[in-house]
Amino acid sequence: MLRSPATQTVIDAASGSPAELLERLGNVLYLGGALIFVVIMAIALYATYAKARTVDTRTWVVGGGIVFPVLVLSALLVYALTIGNAISAIDTSRGPGSGMLRVHVVGKQWWWEVRYQLPGTQDEIVLANELHVPVGQPVELLLTSTDVIHSFWVPSLAGKVDMIPGRTNRLVIHTDEAGHYRGQCAEYCGGQHALMAFDVVAESTDEFADWIELQKQDAGAPRNAQLGLGYDAFFLARCDTCHTVRGTAADGRLGPDLTHVGSRRSLAAGALDNHIGTMAGWIAGPQEVKPGNLMPATDVLSGVELRALSAWLGSLR
Ligand code: CUA
């Protein structure tokens, strides 16, 4: 069954994912903790209401204070280590360089640059705030940052991994369940940390291959006069200073690559749904939506030009 959009939960892990093992470990901890709590409360109630009698305090202190915690914590340690081994088994089932799909994800204030390394080549396709993965195959993520520390977290798929400037961390994700998963930055990284989300789309191998083929393509020429006006407005407003649209003269590197921005599920790292209205609102007032982000407001465009620009960006699918 396809999951509904924007699932972000630690208690409904995707089947076949590392998060499923973490969820199992969590359940043992919650249930075990609850059981111990109930037993302790029962003993406390008994001690309060039963008729007073003398007990061997040494037995209770040594048994309840030393032997019991040592036994429980040792058992938990062994269990947690087996879970850890099972997670690394997903990781090492296909070692680095064995043809595993490799994706670089770079944390930025406050969005995610995503670069797919195309198998067998040095070529990359660059996009933002969205990851597509094929179901049933491990995907290697290489995680870093270019400004402050962020943390990559898709709770239904895997645990958190920090993204640290100057360092590359590795995370292998895997899922057998197609669907949409929401990811979120999990390390406070400045004012708009909360609006630093992304989408993960897990799909069949065929759908994934089609998506890669689509993302490889450059933007085509505007198909009608309104889209042509939008294309001109993009350069008039100097959007090309910061953004790349492959197939055009725009090759800015500061902001997200917009070659296929119309195909993405959300705008501004999950802050807005992606449609022509939100696109226009974001371009006209990015500082109202995400105060402090690096995108300046655009005040050189007329309403007609702004609508045309939004339509053109939306047509980049
Ligand atoms: Cu990036 Cu918090």
Side-chain angles (χ1 to χ4, degrees), residues 39-106:
V39 170
I40 299 294
M41 286 304 113
I43 293 173
L45 283 176
Y46 179 79
T48 309
Y49 293 109
K51 206 156 74 152
R53 65 183 168 92
T54 316
V55 294
D56 179 9
T57 47
R58 195 181 179 84
T59 306
W60 280 91
V61 169
V62 173
I66 300 174
V67 176
F68 181 71
V70 166
L71 284 179
V72 169
L73 293 178
S74 303
L76 275 181
L77 177 67
V78 171
Y79 182 60
L81 287 175
T82 56
I83 293 278
N85 278 341
I87 290 175
S88 17
I90 294 177
D91 184 330
T92 49
S93 60
R94 303 260 297 271
S98 64
M100 183 156 34
L101 178 66
R102 178 179 276 184
V103 189
H104 296 260
V105 185
V106 185

Side-chain angles (χ1 to χ4, degrees), residues 164-293:
I164 300 165
R167 187 191 153 89
T168 299
N169 285 335
R170 185 167 174 274
L171 171 70
V172 174
I173 56 171
H174 181 283
T175 173
D176 291 325
E177 201 176 334
H180 306 137
Y181 304 94
R182 189 176 189 275
Q184 166 67 41
C185 182
E187 175 78 34
Y188 182 73
C189 56
Q192 299 304 317
H193 155 71
L195 294 183
M196 187 169 167
F198 60 103
D199 292 300
V200 178
V201 179
E203 56 201 354
S204 72
T205 314
D206 286 348
E207 285 169 324
F208 176 74
D210 290 347
W211 178 82
I212 284 279
E213 280 308 310
L214 186 79
Q215 298 290 322
K216 271 192 214 169
Q217 289 164 20
D218 290 352
R223 292 190 307 273
N224 60 41
Q226 198 214 8
L227 298 181
L229 184 64
Y231 174 90
D232 292 340
F234 185 82
F235 292 93
L236 182 68
R238 302 310 316 268
C239 306
D240 59 313
T241 314
C242 297
H243 295 284
T244 291
V245 179
R246 278 181 281 123
T248 76
D251 59 357
R253 287 262 166 220
L254 276 176
D257 186 302
L258 300 179
T259 310
H260 293 278
V261 67
S263 73
R264 287 180 209 146
R265 300 169 49 77
S266 68
L267 291 178
L272 300 167
D273 289 341
N274 186 5
H275 54 73
I276 187 168
T278 50
M279 182 71 89
W282 170 243
I283 296 167
Q287 296 303 319
E288 274 77 62
V289 180
K290 275 172 95 161
N293 88 83

Side-chain angles (χ1 to χ4, degrees), residues 28-42 68:
V28 168
L29 291 174
Y30 306 142
L31 291 175
L35 194 68
I36 291 171
F37 178 77
V38 167
V39 170
I40 299 294
M41 286 304 113
F68 181 71

Side-chain angles (χ1 to χ4, degrees), residues 297-316:
T298 307
D299 54 6
V300 299
L301 299 178
S302 68
V304 171
E305 287 168 326
L306 178 62
R307 279 193 292 280
L309 172 54
S310 307
W312 180 64
L313 289 168
S315 78
L316 300 176

